[in-house]
Amino acid sequence: MDKQQLNAFTEQQLTDLMKDMRQPAFRAKQIFRWLHQKQISDFSEMTDQPKSLLEQLEQKFTITKLVPIRRQQSKDGTIKFLFQLADGNCIETVLMRYNYGNTVCVSTQVGCRMGCRFCASTQAGLVRCLTAGEIAAEIYAAAQDIGERISHIVLMGIGEPLDNFDNVMDFLSIISSPMGVNIGMRNISLSTCGIVPMIDKLAEKKLQLTLSISLHAPNDAMRSKMMPVNNAYPVKELISACRRYQKQTGRRISFEYSMVKGVNDSAQTASELAALIRGMGAHVNLIPINPVDGSPYSATDAANVKRFQKQLEQLGVNATIRRRLGSDISAACGQLRREAREDAVK
Ligand code: SAH
């Protein structure tokens, strides 16, 4: 039997585990602190726990620790890590240094099955979901690398977070716990390609995180060509789900819009986009699409991105242009991939 990862347990799950093991409840809190505040990598480091308990735990569980097998630093300070998981799979994680704090962009799956045509992460399909503990370990490893606290998290690396719903919820619970690294929900953004039923499920949790929707096009003809998920959940249904989400959580939504030359960047498209989301108080993040091998798309030039932004603003929609951090090390949006082991040993 495969051992489970103890660091993938939420506080509540650890409490249940201690109960099952006939241990006092306070042990759950102590163990949670060891795992997520002290971030130990070995059971023997839990010096306040009885030896017999540690032995039992060690028989059944492991503790995930991620050590980068490759580390690349961009001219702009962005760092990209390649981590190898216990089963040999690899994922990438990006650390961005903003003046308001250190932000980690985490992967949530090994690969992705959403098939967006402009994104490298999905090209080789999905291998498996990451556990809550593995996602948290990405953050701990990044913090350790720079010796500083991580203040913000974006779930925008490899994978579709809402296609790994339960583990991502457990991860959010672990990472926002005051007994761990205590990263506030308001400093966390979760990005989705638009799986409507899961957006509704997320709304029920009423979390204070920022939900980002990868919209990229204001109509079905355009969006379905770029993103197969649109065939299952077309634009109108997606926007309705966003409105329900806002109503239920009281949180504004952010839309990601990657600009592709000659595809979704005309003045006509800007007015269509504005008409679609006007009045929601939503924010649009514009980003010239990043080059990816095998993608048929190229980026809108800077002047046209600016023009598109101005037009949205004039039509009453708040829009900003996102900086492309880490593009010289292929760490920018859509450039992360799971199959990077060969170049890792170069
Ligand atoms: N699966 C989630 C999380 C990935 S986030 C989602 O789709 O939202 C990564 C963001 O980068 C998404 O908005 C995605 O659409 C965008 N993206 C993917 N490839 C890109 C590329 N080549 N250039 C710019 N943005 C890209």
Side-chain angles (χ1 to χ4, degrees):
M1 193 190 77
D2 272 354
K3 287 186 181 178
Q4 268 187 296
Q5 298 165 358
L6 194 62
N7 56 304
F9 283 57
T10 62
E11 259 170 76
Q12 185 56 52
Q13 290 161 353
L14 276 180
T15 305
D16 296 344
L17 177 71
M18 286 303 117
K19 205 168 165 196
D20 289 349
M21 295 176 79
R22 301 182 190 288
Q23 292 287 331
F26 66 83
R27 298 243 177 267
K29 287 196 190 340
Q30 292 176 328
I31 294 174
F32 188 92
R33 283 208 186 89
W34 282 114
L35 294 171
H36 300 289
Q37 203 169 67
K38 304 249 189 325
Q39 297 158 21
I40 55 158
S41 44
D42 197 275
F43 289 92
S44 64
E45 293 174 64
M46 297 195 243
T47 46
D48 57 359
Q49 300 302 305
K51 261 224 162 76
S52 58
L53 172 61
L54 292 180
E55 276 163 15
Q56 285 179 61
L57 287 174
E58 198 156 5
Q59 274 171 15
K60 290 198 197 120
F61 301 100
T62 59
I63 301 172
T64 315
K65 198 79 185 177
L66 294 179
V67 180
I69 58 172
R70 187 186 60 199
R71 177 190 192 277
Q72 289 165 282
Q73 187 149 2
S74 157
K75 295 192 288 258
D76 61 33
T78 301
I79 303 169
K80 181 169 79 166
F81 303 99
L82 179 70
F83 294 119
Q84 186 162 22
L85 306 165
D87 64 1
N89 281 306
C90 286
I91 50 160
E92 292 188 312
T93 303
V94 179
L95 171 71
M96 292 160 292
R97 320 195 69 168
Y98 293 105
N99 44 22
Y100 57 76
N102 297 312
T103 300
V104 174
C105 176
V106 292
S107 293
T108 54
Q109 295 180 312
V110 178
C112 180
R113 56 179 181 151
M114 295 299 131
C116 298
R117 291 193 53 208
F118 42 81
C119 183
S121 303
T122 196
Q123 284 174 355
L126 174 70
V127 178
R128 70 168 173 90
C129 287
L130 295 183
T131 67
E134 288 168 331
I135 307 172
E138 294 178 55
I139 291 161
Y140 305 159
Q144 199 180 1
D145 181 88
I146 55 166
E148 288 175 30
R149 184 174 187 268
I150 305 302
S151 57
H152 293 70
I153 303 170
V154 295
L155 286 85
M156 298 190 182
I158 301 168
E160 167 51 49
L162 298 187
D163 189 36
N164 183 14
F165 193 86
D166 293 342
N167 291 351
V168 164
M169 292 307 115
D170 287 353
F171 159 72
L172 292 172
S173 156
I174 289 171
I175 214 72
S176 62
S177 164
M179 294 199 304
V181 287
N182 196 12
I183 301 179
M185 282 287 177
R186 284 177 183 265
N187 288 355
I188 302 178
S189 294
L190 184 154
S191 182
T192 177
C193 64
I195 307 178
V196 165
M198 293 296 149
I199 294 175
D200 286 324
K201 203 167 158 189
L202 182 66
E204 284 169 21
K205 308 264 175 199
K206 291 199 172 35
L207 302 177
Q208 292 300 296
L209 52 72
T210 300
L211 179 64
S212 286
I213 304 286
S214 299
L215 187 60
H216 307 318
N219 63 56
D220 289 331
M222 206 181 278
R223 194 166 190 267
S224 293
K225 275 196 206 135
M226 303 169 79
M227 306 173 72
V229 69
N230 194 72
N231 293 309
Y233 308 109
V235 173
K236 290 228 160 60
E237 282 178 34
L238 175 58
I239 300 299
S240 302
C242 291
R243 290 182 194 277
R244 291 195 292 278
Y245 184 90
Q246 288 197 330
K247 200 161 166 224
Q248 192 154 5
T249 62
R251 300 283 295 163
R252 286 187 182 164
I253 284 188
S254 200
F255 290 103
E256 307 294 309
Y257 197 96
S258 301
M259 300 201 58
V260 188
K261 190 186 247 160
V263 173
N264 64 356
D265 60 352
S266 72
Q268 156 73 24
T269 306
S271 13
E272 213 181 324
L273 175 62
L276 183 71
I277 62 173
R278 194 165 31 219
M280 290 177 77
H283 184 97
V284 179
N285 268 313
L286 299 171
I287 170 171
I289 205 136
N290 291 304
V292 160
D293 282 349
S295 151
Y297 300 129
S298 59
T300 304
D301 31 275
N304 279 328
V305 175
K306 191 94 199 124
R307 176 191 50 69
F308 198 90
Q309 179 207 16
K310 284 265 143 60
Q311 196 183 337
L312 288 177
E313 296 272 352
Q314 275 160 12
L315 294 169
V317 172
N318 203 311
T320 47
I321 302 173
R322 228 200 341 209
R323 281 194 298 153
R324 300 158 90 182
L325 293 181
S327 52
D328 56 334
I329 53 167
S330 288
C333 303
Q335 296 185 314
L336 304 185
R337 36 179 95 236
R338 65 173 172 84
E339 289 188 316
R341 275 168 73 192
E342 282 134 52
D343 35 288
V345 286
K346 252 190 218 162

